[in-house]
C-alpha cells in the first residue's frame, strides 16, 4: 500500500528521460517463499537531452516499489550504501560516464502479492501484470513507456511444480539444474517498454496450432491453460487465427515473432494483457465451450483475443510516449477489434450493442466527477484511467476520423503511421498528424475531441418551405461543463444522414451551392456552434434520419413524434437508426410512465409501443438478432443516465409495467416465436455462428417476456429449456428468468442443481453468482450478503468480486439504492476491505457511489456519507484516494 501523500502528475510536465536502456538482461529464481531478480541494464545518456545540461551528468533515478535491494553495482564495481539513495519508490545514484552497465539484485514476494500487479501467483502458477506501472515492483528500472529496450529473460524454478517456463519473444535455450530445478532463456528481438514484459511459470498444458503469414513465415500458436481447461481453448484459437488474417487483409499488418502465446490465469484484474509474444488473459476471456459459456461469452473471447493480438502493432511496435497518450493504443485498438467483430458477425448488431453500452456507461462517466478528456491532462493514479472514455470514446474518435477520411484515406493514414513510427513511443498528435499528412487534410479543430471532456449535445430543428422546395436542418451544439473545463469550443461533428419521403423512400440529397444531388446518404460536418444545412429540390416535407450508425458520440435531439419514430422503424434504410427509432419510442413511452408513477397516477401504456413491436416480430425480412435488440427495452441504468434526477423505484416500476403489458399484448406471437426457435435449438447441435446466435437471442428474450405471465405452460417450457439443452446460452437464460419469477421451489431446486453440477468450474460459478446478484426482487442485499459466505466466493479473486458485488451495485438498481442506504454501506465495506487487498479492484467497485449527484437528496446524503467513511477509514491506496476525493470535491 502506498502511504505517501498522493501527488498529481501533469501532461504539461512531460520530459524525455535522461537515460536510455539499450539492453535488459533479467534472471528470475522462483521459490515458494520468495523470488530473486537479477537485472543487468546496459544504459546510456539520452542524446536528446544532452544539450540541456552541459557538463555534469544528471543523476539516474530508477523506479522501484516493495523491493528488497540485495546488491547493486555500476560497471562491475559494487556500490556501498553511501553511493546511492533509496526511498519508498525510487533509487537514485550518480553515473560517472555517459555509458554504463548497472547490475542489481532484489528479493520480492510474489506469493504475498494480492494486488495482482507486478509478479504474483494465481493459484499454483507464477504470472505477471506490468501495465501500467507494475514493472517497478519487479526490479529497479526506468518504468516509463518511452524507455524501450531489448530484453533477454532467464527464469529458473522447480521442474515438477513448474514444468512450463515462458517469457516474451522467441525461446533461446533450456537446461536443468541440481536440486530438481530447471531454467529457460527467452529473447525478444523487438525493443519494448517494461510494461510489455511478461513471465509465466506453471504446470500448464497447451493447445497448439500454426499460422502462415502473408509473406510465408510460419508462426507457432500456443494457448496454455491448466490441465482441466484444455477442452475449452478451440474457440480462442480459431479467433486468434481469424484475427491474424484480418489484420493482414484490412491493415496490411503481419505478425513478427516465431511464436505467439496466450496463457489463461484465474486471478486477473482486467480482461487480458498484450505482452509481446506472451499475452496473459483472464481465463474468462479465453475459455469457452458450448456447455459452459454463453454466446455473449464466446463473442467476448473472440473480441478480446483480437484486441490483444491487434495491439502487437497498435501498442507494441508503435507504443505510447507517456500514459496520458493511453488512448493512442487503446482507442485505436478498440476501434480495430470492433470492426473485426463487425466483419465476423452482424455489423448492425455489433454497433447497436456498442452504442447502447457507450450511452449507458461512458455518457455517465462523462457526466460524473471523474470525467476526463480522451487524452487526460492530469492524474494521481494511472490505473484509474483505463476508462470507458479512454477506451470506448477513444474508439469513437478514431471511428470519426475513419468516417471523415473514408476507408481508403484512413488506411493510407494508418500505413503512414506504422511506417513512420515503427519502434517509437509516440503521442495522439503523431497519430492525427499521420492521418493529416497521408490525406492532405487539416484536423486541428477535430483534435478538440482529444482535449475536451463531456458529451456534446446536438439539438436539431427543421424548416420546410413548400414553395421553394427547400428543407433546412439547423444544428446547435453545446457541451456541459466538466471538472476543470467550464467552457468548450465547438467540436467537428460528422453527421451521417438521409431524408425519407412520405412513402419512406430515400430522397436524393443536394445541398445548397451544389449543382447536382450526390447520393441519398451522406456525411455533413457540423463545425460551428450553430449551423444550417439546406437541401434543394425537396418535393414534399421529408423525415430526416440523423446520425446514422451513430456517426458521432453525442446526445442528439430532434422533435420526433411517436408516429414518426414508428415510420423510421419501418422504413429507414439504416439498420442502426431503425433500432434507434425503436429505442427513442420506448424511451418516450417509459419516461411518460415514470412521470405517472411519480405522480401516483395509474400506469397506462401507449398502445403504439406494443403495436410497433408486433410488426417487428412479424417481419420475416429482419435479422432475428435485430428483432431481439428492438424488443429489448432500454435498460434501467440507461433510463437513470438520461434522467435529471434518477428515481430508481419509478424507473423499475415503469419498466416492469411496460414489460408486462407488452408480454400480455404480444403473448401469442411471442409464444409462437419462442416455440419455433426452441424447436430449432433442439434440432441442431450448438454452434457459435451468427444465425444460431440470432435465433437463440430472440428465443431467450421471448422467454423472458413470456415468463412474466407466470402461466404454468411457460414455467414448464422454461424448466424444459433449463434441463434439456446442450449449451449455456439456453440454460443460463432459463435459470435467470426462473430466478426472477415467483416460483420459489423450482427456483431453489434449479439454483442448487446448477451449483452442484458446476461447482468445480469457477467461470460458471461466476455466472451463478451474477444471476442472483442481479435479481431485482426484494431482499437482494440479504441474498448477496449470504452469497459472500458461499465456499466458491472470495474477495481475492477479481472475477468473483465483479460477479457478485459488481453485478449487485451496477445491475440491481432497486436493491442497491435501497432507501435506508444499506446497499451503499455494504459496498463501502467491500471497498474498504478490497483497498487493503487489491487497490485497482477496490477503486473500480467504487464507481456507483461516485454517481451520487444523480439521486434524490436523501440518497445523496447517504452516498456521500459512505464516501466520507471510506476516506476516513485509514491509509488509502492512491487508486481509492483519487476516486473518493474527486467524487467529494
Ligand atoms: N492494456 C491492457 C490493460 C492494462 C490495464 C492495467 N491497469 C489490456 C488492454 O487494453 O488490452
Ligand atoms: Zn487494449
Amino acid at each position: 500500500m502506498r502511504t505517501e501523500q498522493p501527488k498529481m502528475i501533469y501532461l504539461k510536465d512531460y520530459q524525455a528521460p535522461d537515460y536510455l536502456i539499450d539492453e535488459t538482461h533479467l534472471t528470475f529464481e522462483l521459490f515458494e517463499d520468495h523470488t530473486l531478480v537479477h537485472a543487468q541494464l546496459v544504459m546510456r545518456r539520452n542524446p536528446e537531452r544532452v544539450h540541456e545540461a552541459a557538463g555534469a551528468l544528471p543523476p539516474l533515478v530508477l523506479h522501484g516499489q516493495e523491493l528488497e535491494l540485495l546488491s547493486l553495482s555500476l560497471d562491475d564495481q559494487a556500490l556501498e550504501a553511501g553511493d546511492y539513495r533509496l526511498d519508498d519508490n525510487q533509487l537514485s545514484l550518480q553515473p560517472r560516464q555517459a555509458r554504463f552497465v548497472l547490475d542489481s539484485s532484489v528479493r520480492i514476494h510474489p506469493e504475498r502479492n494480492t494486488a495482482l500487479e507486478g509478479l504474483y501467483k494465481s493459484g499454483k502458477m507464477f504470472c505477471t501484470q506490468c501495465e501500467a506501472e507494475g514493472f517497478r515492483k519487479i526490479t529497479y528500472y526506468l518504468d516509463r513507456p518511452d524507455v524501450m529496450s531489448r530484453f533477454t529473460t532467464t527464469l529458473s524454478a522447480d521442474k515438477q511444480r513448474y514444468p512450463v517456463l515462458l517469457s516474451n519473444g522467441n525461446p533461446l535455450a533450456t537446461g536443468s539444474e541440481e536440486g530438481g530445478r530447471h531454467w529457460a532463456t527467452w529473447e525478444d528481438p523487438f525493443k519494448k517498454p517494461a510494461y510489455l514484459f511478461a513471465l509465466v511459470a506453471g504446470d500448464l498444458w497447451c493447445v497448439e496450432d500454426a499460422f502462415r503469414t502473408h509473406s510465408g513465415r510460419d508462426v507457432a500458436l500456443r494457448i496454455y491453460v491448466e490441465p482441466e481447461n484444455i477442452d475449452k481453448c478451440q474457440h480462442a484459437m480459431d479467433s486468434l487465427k481469424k484475427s491474424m488474417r484480418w489484420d493482414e487483409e484490412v491493415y496490411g499488418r503481419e505478425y513478427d515473432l516465431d511464436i505467439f502465446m496466450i496463457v489463461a490465469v484465474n486471478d486477473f484484474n482486467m480482461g487480458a494483457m498484450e505482452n509481446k509474444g506472451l499475452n496473459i488473459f483472464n481465463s474468462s476471456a479465453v475459455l469457452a465451450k458450448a456447455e459452459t459459456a454463453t454466446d455473449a461469452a464466446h463473442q467476448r473471447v473472440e473480441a478480446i483475443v483480437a484486441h490483444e493480438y491487434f495491439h502487437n502493432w497498435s501498442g507494441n511496435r508503435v507504443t505510447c510516449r507517456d500514459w496520458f497518450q493511453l488512448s493512442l493504443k487503446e482507442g485505436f485498438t478498440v476501434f480495430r477489434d470492433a470492426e473485426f467483430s463487425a466483419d465476423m458477425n452482424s455489423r448492425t448488431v455489433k454497433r447497436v450493442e456498442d452504442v447502447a453500452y457507450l450511452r449507458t456507461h461512458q455518457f455517465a462517466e462523462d457526466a460524473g466527477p471523474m470525467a476526463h478528456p480522451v487524452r487526460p491532462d492530469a492524474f494521481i493514479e494511472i490505473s484509474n484511467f483505463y476508462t470507458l472514455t479512454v477506451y470506448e470514446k477513444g474508439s469513437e474518435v478514431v471511428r470519426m476520423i475513419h468516417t471523415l477520411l473514408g476507408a481508403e484515406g484512413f488506411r493510407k493514414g494508418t500505413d503512414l503511421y506504422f511506417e513512420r513510427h515503427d519502434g517509437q513511443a509516440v503521442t495522439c498528435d503523431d497519430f492525427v498528424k499521420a492521418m493529416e499528412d497521408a490525406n492532405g487534410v487539416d484536423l486541428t479543430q477535430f483534435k478538440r475531441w482529444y482535449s475536451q471532456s463531456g458529451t456534446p449535445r446536438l439539438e436539431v430543428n427543421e424548416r420546410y418551405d413548400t414553395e421553394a422546395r427547400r428543407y433546412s436542418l439547423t444544428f446547435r451544439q453545446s457541451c456541459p461543463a466538466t471538472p476543470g473545463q467550464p467552457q468548450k469550443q465547438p467540436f467537428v461533428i460528422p453527421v451521417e444522414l438521409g431524408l425519407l419521403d412520405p412513402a419512406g423512400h430515400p430522397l436524393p440529397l443536394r445541398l445548397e451551392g451544389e449543382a447536382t444531388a450526390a447520393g441519398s446518404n451522406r456525411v455533413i460536418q457540423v463545425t460551428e456552434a450553430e449551423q444550417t444545412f439546406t437541401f434543394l429540390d425537396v418535393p414534399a416535407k421529408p423525415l430526416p434520419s440523423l446520425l446514422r450508425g451513430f456517426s458521432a458520440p453525442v446526445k442528439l435531439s430532434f422533435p420526433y413524434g411517436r408516429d414518426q419514430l414508428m415510420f423510421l422503424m419501418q422504413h429507414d434504410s439504416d439498420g442502426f437508426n431503425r433500432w434507434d427509432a425503436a429505442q427513442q419510442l420506448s424511451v418516450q413511452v417509459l419516461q411518460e410512465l415514470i412521470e405517472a408513477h411519480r405522480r401516483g397516477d395509474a400506469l397506462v401504456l401507449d398502445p403504439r409501443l406494443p403495436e410497433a413491436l408486433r410488426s417487428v416480430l412479424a417481419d420475416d425480412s429482419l435479422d432475428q438478432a435485430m428483432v431481439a435488440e428492438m424488443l429489448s427495452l432500454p435498460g434501467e441504468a440507461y433510463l437513470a443516465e438520461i434522467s435529471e434526477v434518477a428515481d430508481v423505484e419509478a424507473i423499475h416500476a415503469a419498466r416492469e409495467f411496460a414489460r408486462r403489458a407488452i408480454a400480455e399484448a404480444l403473448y401469442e406471437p411471442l409464444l409462437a416465436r419462442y416455440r419455433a426457435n426452441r424447436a430449432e435449438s433442439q434440432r441442431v447441435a450448438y454452434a457459435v455462428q451468427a444465425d444460431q446466435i440470432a435465433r437463440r437471442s430472440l428465443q431467450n428474450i421471448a422467454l423472458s417476456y413470456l415468463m412474466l405471465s407466470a402461466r404454468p405452460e411457460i414455467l414448464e417450457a422454461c424448466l424444459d429449456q433449463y434441463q434439456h439443452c446442450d449449451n449455456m446460452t439456453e440454460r443460463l437464460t432459463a435459470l435467470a428468468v426462473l430466478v426472477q419469477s415467483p416460483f420459489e421451489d423450482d427456483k431453489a431446486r434449479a439454483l442448487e442443481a446448477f451449483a452442484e453440477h458446476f461447482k468445480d468450474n469457477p467461470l460458471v460459478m461466476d455466472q451463478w453468482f451474477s444471476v442472483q446478484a442481479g435479481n431485482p426482487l426484494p431482499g437482494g442485499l440479504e441474498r448477496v450478503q449470504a452469497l459472500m459466505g458461499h465456499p466458491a466466493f472470495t474477495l481475492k479473486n477479481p472475477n468473483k468480486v465483479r460477479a457478485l458485488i459488481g453485478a449487485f451495485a451496477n445491475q440491481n438498481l432497486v436493491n442497491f439504492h435501497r432507501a435506508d442506504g444499506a446497499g451503499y454501506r455494504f459496498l463501502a465495506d467491500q471497498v474498504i476491505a478490497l483497498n487493503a487487498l487489491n487497490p485497482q479492484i477496490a477503486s473500480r467497485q467504487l464507481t456507483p457511489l461516485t454517481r451520487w449527484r444523480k439521486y434524490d437528496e436523501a440518497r445523496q446524503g447517504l452516498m456521500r456519507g459512505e464516501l466520507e467513511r471510506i476516506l476516513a477509514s485509514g491509509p488509502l491506496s492512491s487508486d481509492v484516494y483519487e476516486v473518493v476525493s474527486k467524487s467529494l470535491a
Side-chain angles (χ1 to χ4, degrees):
M1 172 104 30
R2 293 153 220 180
T3 46
E4 78 276 11
Q5 188 63 29
K7 232 181 38 234
M8 190 78 91
I9 301 163
Y10 296 91
L11 168 58
K12 63 175 165 43
D13 294 341
Y14 172 83
Q15 288 202 320
D18 287 324
Y19 292 94
L20 302 176
I21 308 176
D22 291 321
E23 290 170 41
T24 302
H25 304 287
L26 301 170
T27 309
F28 290 83
E29 292 173 69
L30 306 166
F31 298 100
E32 291 316 294
D33 57 354
H34 71 284
T35 288
L36 298 174
V37 186
H38 179 86
Q40 179 170 80
L41 311 181
V42 179
M43 305 191 63
R44 71 186 148 99
R45 183 94 197 267
N46 182 0
E48 255 183 64
R49 297 289 312 257
V50 170
H51 61 280
E52 287 176 33
L57 291 168
L60 170 66
V61 183
L62 298 167
H63 302 110
Q65 261 172 24
E66 298 164 37
L67 306 173
E68 183 192 342
L69 182 62
L70 302 176
S71 70
L72 192 64
S73 65
L74 191 58
D75 288 327
D76 280 335
Q77 293 271 308
L79 297 184
E80 305 298 325
D83 299 332
Y84 56 87
R85 249 197 62 191
L86 206 55
D87 64 39
D88 268 359
N89 45 38
Q90 59 193 39
L91 167 70
S92 336
L93 56 95
Q94 183 60 55
R96 304 276 166 234
Q97 284 156 37
R99 287 177 180 273
F100 54 90
V101 177
L102 184 74
D103 281 88
S104 72
S105 294
V106 300
R107 188 191 331 263
I108 56 176
H109 291 281
E111 73 283 358
R112 293 186 211 150
N113 180 349
T114 58
L116 315 184
E117 188 189 40
L119 178 65
Y120 66 95
K121 285 197 88 173
S122 174
K124 288 186 283 185
M125 74 173 107
F126 285 94
C127 63
T128 53
Q129 171 53 38
C130 294
E131 187 177 0
E133 297 181 336
F135 193 74
R136 62 190 63 185
K137 293 173 150 188
I138 291 178
T139 191
Y140 288 104
Y141 205 76
L142 294 176
D143 187 8
R144 43 187 290 169
D146 55 357
V147 172
M148 299 174 80
S149 181
R150 274 183 198 86
F151 283 67
T152 54
T153 306
T154 298
L155 49 165
S156 73
D158 183 82
K159 188 169 185 163
Q160 236 173 4
R161 285 180 202 245
Y162 309 101
V164 174
L165 303 174
L166 310 174
S167 190
N168 313 92
N170 298 316
L172 205 62
T174 55
S176 294
E177 283 173 358
E178 277 168 33
R181 293 175 67 82
H182 71 149
W183 59 270
T185 300
W186 292 77
E187 181 183 54
D188 184 353
F190 293 94
K191 287 197 303 179
K192 66 167 177 287
Y195 84 86
L196 290 172
F197 169 79
L199 157 172
V200 169
D203 184 1
L204 303 169
W205 288 8
C206 87
V207 168
E208 207 167 351
D209 210 324
F211 182 84
R212 176 159 297 170
T213 68
H214 180 72
S215 66
R217 279 186 322 97
D218 286 314
V219 181
L221 309 178
R222 289 197 193 143
I223 300 183
Y224 287 92
V225 294
E226 286 170 299
E228 65 270 25
N229 291 324
I230 199 72
D231 59 337
K232 307 181 193 81
C233 300
Q234 195 53 47
H235 180 66
M237 184 61 90
D238 292 342
S239 304
L240 175 60
K241 288 188 286 181
K242 287 185 203 167
S243 311
M244 295 177 87
R245 186 65 68 213
W246 188 89
D247 213 16
E248 291 184 344
E249 286 168 1
V250 180
Y251 283 84
R253 298 292 118 201
E254 258 188 47
Y255 187 63
D256 49 14
L257 290 164
D258 304 335
I259 179 166
F260 185 83
M261 298 172 283
I262 288 177
V263 180
V265 307
N266 287 330
D267 304 285
F268 207 66
N269 282 347
M270 63 274 166
M273 177 64 210
E274 69 264 24
N275 318 299
K276 183 79 187 187
L278 178 57
N279 286 191
I280 298 182
F281 272 58
N282 187 321
S283 52
S284 74
V286 187
L287 306 178
K289 66 170 186 176
E291 295 80 2
T292 57
T294 60
D295 290 338
H298 279 83
Q299 289 183 313
R300 176 168 176 265
V301 167
E302 182 182 74
I304 298 183
V305 166
H307 179 99
E308 306 311 330
Y309 174 73
F310 296 155
H311 268 316
N312 190 52
W313 275 97
S314 50
N316 301 1
R317 289 289 287 259
V318 182
T319 194
C320 301
R321 187 192 72 173
D322 55 75
W323 290 120
F324 298 99
Q325 318 296 330
L326 182 58
S327 197
L328 172 78
K329 72 178 178 83
E330 296 305 347
F332 185 21
T333 305
V334 171
F335 172 69
R336 276 150 59 64
D337 85 56
E339 285 297 291
F340 166 76
S341 294
D343 283 347
M344 297 299 124
N345 306 286
S346 155
R347 177 162 285 272
T348 311
V349 172
K350 170 69 179 158
R351 191 69 186 134
V352 160
E353 289 167 354
D354 287 352
V355 171
Y357 187 73
L358 184 89
R359 278 177 173 163
T360 303
H361 304 291
Q362 196 279 325
F363 282 13
E365 183 168 277
D366 250 350
M370 287 292 291
H372 55 277
V374 166
R375 182 188 52 221
D377 21 50
F379 58 72
I380 291 177
E381 172 54 63
I382 183 56
S383 299
N384 284 330
F385 285 79
Y386 286 75
T387 58
L388 296 156
T389 301
V390 166
Y391 275 66
E392 266 63 41
K393 185 176 181 180
S395 160
E396 294 299 322
V397 171
V398 175
R399 178 179 298 278
M400 287 188 283
I401 298 179
H402 185 278
T403 302
L404 294 171
L405 301 179
E408 247 177 69
F410 185 79
R411 171 67 193 269
K412 276 196 230 153
T414 60
D415 282 352
L416 180 60
Y417 170 72
F418 288 126
E419 182 199 307
R420 198 182 258 178
H421 298 298
D422 190 8
Q424 297 178 2
V426 303
T427 64
C428 299
D429 288 329
D430 293 316
F431 179 79
V432 176
K433 184 83 171 55
M435 292 290 160
E436 291 181 321
D437 292 353
N439 290 278
V441 295
D442 179 356
L443 295 170
T444 312
Q445 186 187 345
F446 180 85
K447 286 208 287 185
R448 288 176 186 156
W449 283 109
Y450 286 96
S451 56
Q452 297 191 140
S453 53
T455 306
R457 304 218 164 107
L458 191 57
E459 245 183 74
V460 193
N461 282 294
E462 62 178 351
R463 239 195 105 227
Y464 181 64
D465 183 335
T466 319
E467 250 149 62
R469 295 159 55 97
R470 290 161 63 93
Y471 179 72
S472 302
L473 288 169
T474 298
F475 294 81
R476 271 185 212 87
Q477 61 162 306
S478 61
C479 184
T482 45
Q485 296 192 345
Q487 305 283 331
K488 317 288 164 102
Q489 302 287 307
F491 291 86
V492 174
I493 304 181
V495 179
E496 185 176 335
L497 53 73
L499 300 178
L500 277 64
D501 75 10
H505 299 128
L507 284 164
L509 302 176
R510 177 180 160 213
L511 277 169
E512 193 165 39
E514 293 176 346
T516 52
S520 58
N521 180 71
R522 53 195 288 179
V523 179
I524 58 163
Q525 292 184 42
V526 178
T527 58
E528 292 159 30
E530 181 174 332
Q531 210 169 343
T532 298
F533 294 83
T534 299
F535 296 91
L536 307 180
D537 315 324
V538 183
K541 190 177 175 202
L543 190 59
S545 164
L546 302 165
L547 211 68
R548 284 181 162 169
F550 199 64
S551 58
V554 301
K555 290 188 174 176
L556 179 131
S557 62
F558 179 86
Y560 288 117
R562 292 185 197 176
D563 294 327
Q564 291 177 317
L565 290 169
M566 288 170 73
F567 186 83
L568 286 174
M569 276 175 73
Q570 290 215 324
H571 299 288
D572 200 325
S573 58
D574 185 72
F576 175 86
N577 270 18
R578 279 204 302 276
W579 168 80
D580 202 32
Q583 281 285 290
Q584 289 184 53
L585 176 64
S586 307
V587 165
Q588 285 193 15
V589 170
L590 288 165
Q591 282 178 332
E592 186 173 84
L593 292 172
I594 292 168
E595 284 317 308
H597 184 274
R598 285 168 67 89
R599 286 193 307 268
D601 293 353
L603 303 188
V604 184
L605 184 74
D606 183 338
R608 284 177 288 187
L609 181 59
E611 280 328 299
L613 297 179
R614 182 190 299 279
S615 350
V616 166
L617 207 45
D619 186 346
D620 284 336
S621 71
L622 287 174
D623 173 1
Q624 294 204 38
M626 283 309 295
V627 176
E629 292 290 352
M630 287 166 108
L631 284 174
S632 314
L633 295 182
E636 292 182 11
Y638 179 63
L639 294 166
E641 206 288 312
I642 59 176
S643 313
E644 201 57 50
V645 175
D647 181 336
V648 286
E649 276 150 19
I651 288 173
H652 182 68
R655 192 172 180 277
E656 283 309 293
F657 171 81
R659 289 180 66 220
R660 277 167 207 282
I662 291 166
E664 217 169 288
L666 304 183
Y667 186 79
E668 294 305 330
L670 283 168
L671 186 58
R673 176 49 77 189
Y674 175 74
R675 291 217 194 281
N677 287 22
R678 167 77 178 134
E680 193 61 9
S681 298
Q682 284 176 297
R683 203 180 60 78
V684 293
Y686 177 92
V688 194
Q689 54 193 50
D691 59 330
Q692 283 206 16
I693 295 174
R695 183 189 74 223
R696 284 187 288 270
S697 61
L698 186 49
Q699 173 189 330
N700 279 336
I701 187 142
L703 178 62
S704 67
Y705 272 114
L706 292 165
M707 195 70 167
L708 297 171
S709 71
R711 297 192 200 185
E713 54 172 347
I714 303 298
L715 173 62
E716 208 177 294
C718 179
L719 290 173
D720 182 69
Q721 171 168 328
Y722 174 73
Q723 281 152 4
H724 305 114
C725 60
D726 64 352
N727 65 86
M728 186 52 81
T729 308
E730 288 184 272
R731 179 157 291 134
L732 194 69
T733 295
L735 182 67
V737 300
L738 199 54
V739 161
Q740 300 192 13
S741 78
F743 304 110
E744 293 302 332
D745 293 346
D746 299 281
K747 178 188 309 189
R749 267 197 300 275
L751 280 171
E752 204 185 302
F754 190 100
E756 177 54 30
H757 189 74
F758 292 110
K759 62 177 182 298
D760 297 325
N761 186 324
L763 295 176
V764 180
M765 289 306 286
D766 291 345
Q767 304 173 59
W768 183 81
F769 281 118
S770 283
V771 154
Q772 297 177 79
N775 176 8
L777 294 177
L781 176 60
E782 288 73 13
R783 287 192 297 272
V784 168
Q785 281 167 324
L787 285 169
M788 300 262 304
H790 190 277
F793 184 82
T794 164
L795 269 189
K796 291 195 176 151
N797 176 263
N799 289 353
K800 292 282 171 290
V801 171
R802 285 183 278 256
L804 188 57
I805 301 167
F808 172 69
N810 293 291
Q811 284 152 42
N812 195 344
L813 301 191
V814 268
N815 279 299
F816 174 63
H817 291 279
R818 245 167 75 158
D820 65 359
Y824 309 147
R825 200 153 50 242
F826 165 77
L827 186 63
D829 286 341
Q830 305 318 317
V831 168
I832 291 168
L834 282 165
N835 176 65
L837 285 172
N838 186 332
Q840 289 183 21
I841 296 299
S843 158
R844 292 264 148 170
Q845 293 308 311
L846 262 171
T847 308
L849 285 175
T850 67
R851 305 279 156 80
W852 58 270
R853 282 183 182 82
K854 266 273 159 204
Y855 301 91
D856 58 72
E857 245 172 75
R859 286 186 172 87
Q860 287 199 3
L862 292 164
M863 293 171 94
R864 281 185 63 105
E866 293 306 325
L867 288 167
E868 273 153 11
R869 185 163 69 87
I870 295 171
L871 199 56
S873 69
L876 289 183
S877 58
S878 51
D879 310 61
V880 172
Y881 173 81
E882 178 170 37
V883 175
V884 174
S885 58
K886 287 186 175 171
S887 303
L888 287 169

